[in-house]
Amino acid sequence: MSNYDLLPGFPTNRARRLRRTEHLREMFREIRLHTTDFIYPLFIVEGSDIKKEISSMPGQYQMSIDNLARECESLLELGVGSVLLFGIPAEKDEVGSGAYAEDGIIQKAVREIKSRAPEMVVITDVCLCEYTSHGHCGVIENGDVVNDKTLELLVKEAVSHAQAGADMVAPSDMMDGRVGAIRSALDGAGLVNTPIMAYSAKYSSAFYGPFREAAESAPQFGDRRAYQMDFGNSDEAMREIALDIKEGADVVMVKPALSYLDVIRRVKTEFNIPIAAYNVSGEFSMVKAAAQKGWLDGERVMMEILMSIKRAGADTMITYFAKEAAALLK
Ligand code: PBG
């Protein structure tokens, strides 16, 4: 016998009784969104007084460092207390030197935010694709991204972000062994309190299209399928998650979110660890485009999507909707 056998049938049972009014529905709502659920991505460029809208992501901008303090103040006012930083360097090279330079774009941005809005939780994306001339997430040899040499660079990048003051580092490159390598390097540098949010189950996805315009990081040849995951796989996602936990991840991530809600739910059921989900650029842009055409109610669809990600099991969500959603929740 299951618990469900205890349920009386209709007409004794009428599920609609608890749906009658807004207050009743609110009383029995299982999941609630809160402004602290969101992490807001920021794209930072060199220069001053720059706030340039990303054409494929309405309402999202590339901005220069002098605009960050104001941006963070407005986020904090809305109740959004964490940001994920992506840097677009002035110059790119074969080995992504800008990613681990002392005066790199992210290092400067982190120092600015931590001095102007110290309570903001600053997370940095640790990857090389925005910094390499070829747009791949690592060192290229014979047309392939070489894993172990790339690790050395990622480690330098993560440590330099943390030394600049980042509260958390988020490796998104999908190289094998990067979480362990970054953990031991952080510990070696005395940064034992810097957590790692690992992009553990990161799929090779067409939903990243608009981001590559925003971050100017499209690969110049080939694609990322030799390192990001194949979207037919969820058993493999569980292995990736298990490996990252063993290597020391404090938070694991599933990315993208919407076509992967089943993966989020599996992680929630099979592991006991904080889960982040990345509601990626394409998921955002689709809603915006349909809303602009009048085909969807953009606000309602946004809230339904964010709720679904949380309901699937995510503890935190990286989303370009953060500001709009927070404004509605306030
Ligand atoms: C960098 C990175 C990407 C995203 C986050 N970090 C792009 C990619 O892997 O091509 C995608 C985010 C989005 O689409 O919103 N490796």
Side-chain angles (χ1 to χ4, degrees):
M1 185 167 123
S2 91
N3 284 340
Y4 295 107
D5 295 328
L6 299 172
L7 279 179
F10 173 84
T12 309
N13 188 325
R14 288 180 185 270
R16 291 181 53 189
R17 287 184 196 120
L18 295 181
R19 295 180 197 146
R20 281 179 40 249
T21 70
E22 184 56 24
H23 275 300
L24 268 171
R25 290 189 290 272
E26 269 175 17
M27 278 174 73
F28 296 102
R29 188 165 295 142
E30 297 167 36
I31 296 287
R32 269 170 239 278
L33 289 171
H34 192 267
T35 60
T36 53
D37 292 332
F38 309 133
I39 300 169
Y40 187 59
L42 291 174
F43 299 100
I44 305 155
V45 291
E46 294 280 5
S48 61
D49 199 21
I50 296 170
K51 193 170 173 187
K52 184 177 159 225
E53 189 164 26
I54 298 152
S55 62
S56 54
M57 299 175 73
Q60 308 302 314
Y61 302 84
Q62 290 184 336
M63 59 181 84
S64 48
I65 290 177
D66 52 350
N67 276 316
L68 286 176
R70 200 179 322 128
E71 184 69 16
C72 287
E73 273 156 33
S74 82
L75 282 163
L76 289 167
E77 243 161 65
L78 286 163
V80 177
S82 64
V83 288
L84 175 62
L85 307 187
F86 294 96
I88 299 123
E91 277 165 36
K92 304 183 188 237
D93 62 22
E94 284 282 302
V95 290
S97 306
Y100 37 89
E102 164 71 17
D103 62 345
I105 182 80
I106 288 296
Q107 290 77 357
K108 288 188 286 187
V110 170
R111 287 194 287 265
E112 167 75 3
I113 298 176
K114 292 314 288 187
S115 72
R116 306 284 299 276
E119 67 273 47
M120 183 60 91
V121 174
V122 178
I123 310 170
T124 57
D125 186 84
V126 174
C127 195
L128 296 169
C129 61
E130 296 108 271
Y131 305 89
T132 50
S133 42
H134 44 74
H136 276 286
C137 304
V139 181
I140 301 284
E141 270 173 21
N142 306 320
D144 189 31
V145 176
V146 221
N147 196 87
D148 301 12
K149 280 192 186 154
T150 300
L151 291 186
E152 292 167 29
L153 304 185
L154 293 168
V155 158
K156 283 199 329 195
E157 182 179 11
V159 170
S160 96
H161 289 177
Q163 278 169 341
D167 295 294
M168 197 178 318
V169 291
S172 71
D173 50 281
M174 287 302 275
M175 296 302 117
D176 291 319
R178 90 269 211 220
V179 174
I182 290 172
R183 182 72 271 155
S184 65
L186 288 172
D187 290 353
L191 297 156
V192 297
N193 289 322
T194 307
I196 299 175
M197 175 190 275
Y199 285 70
S200 306
K202 176 172 177 178
Y203 288 88
S204 179
S205 169
F207 285 102
Y208 306 151
F211 172 94
R212 292 182 184 168
E213 179 204 334
E216 301 174 12
S217 66
Q220 300 304 304
F221 64 90
D223 54 44
R224 304 207 203 291
R225 282 183 284 188
Y227 42 105
Q228 299 180 347
M229 279 185 53
D230 187 292
F231 55 71
N233 301 347
S234 80
D235 288 345
E236 184 191 2
M238 299 308 111
R239 288 199 298 279
E240 285 280 12
I241 301 268
L243 285 167
D244 282 359
I245 295 173
K246 268 205 182 133
E247 289 179 31
D250 299 277
V251 182
V252 294
M253 193 193 299
V254 176
K255 176 185 172 191
L258 274 193
S259 294
Y260 303 86
L261 294 175
D262 59 319
V263 179
I264 298 174
R265 172 49 52 169
R266 262 190 89 174
V267 181
K268 178 77 180 165
T269 321
E270 296 184 24
F271 299 91
N272 181 357
I273 185 155
I275 304 168
Y278 201 140
N279 177 212
V280 300
S281 57
E283 299 173 336
F284 170 85
S285 300
M286 284 194 307
V287 175
K288 287 290 169 192
Q292 274 177 6
K293 281 191 167 268
W295 290 351
L296 282 178
D297 179 332
E299 277 189 0
R300 291 182 55 199
V301 168
M302 163 179 79
M303 295 315 254
E304 191 171 331
I305 285 174
L306 296 172
M307 188 74 97
S308 75
I309 298 170
K310 188 164 179 178
R311 196 184 61 232
D315 297 291
T316 185
M317 292 172 255
I318 302 158
T319 180
Y320 305 97
F321 288 123
K323 289 170 86 173
E324 280 171 82
L328 288 180
L329 291 166
K330 266 269 164 181

